[in-house]
Amino acid sequence: MTDNVDRTDESTTDGEPDVDALRTDLEQIKSAMAIEDRYPGQRRLWLVHGIIVGFAGVLTNVMFVYPWPEFVYILVWTAVFVLIGYTQWQTSVRTATTVDDPEPKPSWTVVFGTLVAGLFVLTAIVDPIFADVESVLQGAFFFSVAFTVLGMGYLLAGTILHAYRIRASDRYPFYVNGIWILAFAFVMPFVEWLQYVGYALFGILFFLHGAVTYYLLTYRLSG
């Protein structure tokens, strides 16, 4: 009888929830921040970046009608990537001194620097390979490489924001953007009509994603 009672007491004790662990989980949930609280202006950047990329995409296809020198396309999209990268980097790092982080976090400067370096390296690698390819297809391949790096950047940003305890609803747009951009980059060189109108379509889709995200985060999920 005594043994049975002892076993019952032990099983009851073992079956009790870990109060300290539950308290820690609750504190982590409560500490999850809206992205606008930590990075003021981030919601607006979704719309701003959408407008920039949307305009550049449509402009690229308009330039196809009146053939422009190749360097013009490079200048346009280089300016787009630099502008997006710089504004995003500024928004990400300028809060470093205003938000107290008791634990070490990934460096946004290193992340953005790595993506930029990776884009240059990949472009340099594929340049000789596609030197003799038809110009339209060559452009599609080069833009696919750039879009791939961009998509990876959004996926990486969403993952890093989790380390900064940004709430899930603010991270999902980064994941969604990264996934569809990677899918688009994958099919663009292999679908003939996308080689011609893919730039405008990409710009329009990017703008729609940015506008919808801005609306949802500002008017639906701002609480």
Side-chain angles (χ1 to χ4, degrees):
M1 291 293 292
T2 303
D3 292 342
N4 291 337
V5 172
D6 291 341
R7 292 192 187 95
T8 303
D9 292 341
E10 289 177 3
S11 62
T12 302
T13 302
D14 293 339
E16 291 179 355
D18 189 334
V19 177
D20 292 335
L22 290 175
R23 185 179 293 111
T24 300
D25 291 341
L26 182 60
E27 289 176 353
Q28 290 180 350
I29 294 173
K30 288 182 177 180
S31 66
M33 302 174 63
I35 196 168
E36 191 70 13
D37 294 334
R38 183 176 185 105
Y39 304 112
Q42 178 60 52
R43 290 184 305 203
R44 185 175 63 253
L45 280 185
W46 281 111
L47 183 59
V48 172
H49 291 170
I51 293 174
I52 293 173
V53 175
F55 176 77
V58 173
L59 178 63
T60 299
N61 273 138
V62 170
M63 289 192 296
F64 276 171
V65 179
Y66 305 98
W68 288 54
E70 183 178 337
F71 75 88
V72 176
Y73 298 95
I74 297 175
L75 287 178
V76 169
W77 284 96
T78 298
V80 168
F81 278 95
V82 169
L83 189 57
I84 290 178
Y86 179 74
T87 54
Q88 188 64 70
W89 176 76
Q90 281 286 88
T91 301
S92 301
V93 302
R94 70 185 178 189
T95 58
T97 57
T98 61
V99 179
D100 183 24
D101 282 320
E103 300 177 359
K105 296 291 191 298
S107 169
W108 286 110
T109 301
V110 173
V111 171
F112 286 117
T114 301
L115 290 173
V116 172
L119 177 59
F120 277 105
V121 171
L122 287 174
T123 303
I125 291 174
V126 301
D127 185 42
I129 299 175
F130 299 119
D132 298 326
V133 177
E134 181 185 357
S135 60
V136 173
L137 182 58
Q138 184 184 78
F141 273 113
F142 275 111
F143 275 97
S144 288
V145 170
F147 293 160
T148 297
V149 174
L150 181 64
M152 292 171 60
Y154 276 103
L155 290 175
L156 185 59
T159 303
I160 292 176
L161 288 174
H162 182 65
Y164 281 92
R165 293 183 178 177
I166 300 301
R167 64 183 183 179
S169 59
D170 286 306
R171 300 195 313 267
Y172 289 153
F174 288 88
Y175 297 135
V176 173
N177 214 30
I179 290 172
W180 83 257
I181 288 175
L182 287 178
F184 194 98
F186 177 77
V187 301
M188 185 175 178
F190 305 105
V191 179
E192 186 175 359
W193 63 271
L194 280 179
Q195 297 170 15
Y196 293 91
V197 301
Y199 309 99
L201 180 59
F202 178 87
I204 292 171
L205 291 175
F206 197 97
F207 167 74
L208 290 176
H209 179 272
V212 170
T213 299
Y214 172 76
Y215 172 77
L216 291 176
L217 295 182
T218 303
Y219 300 105
R220 294 295 183 182
L221 302 173
S222 57

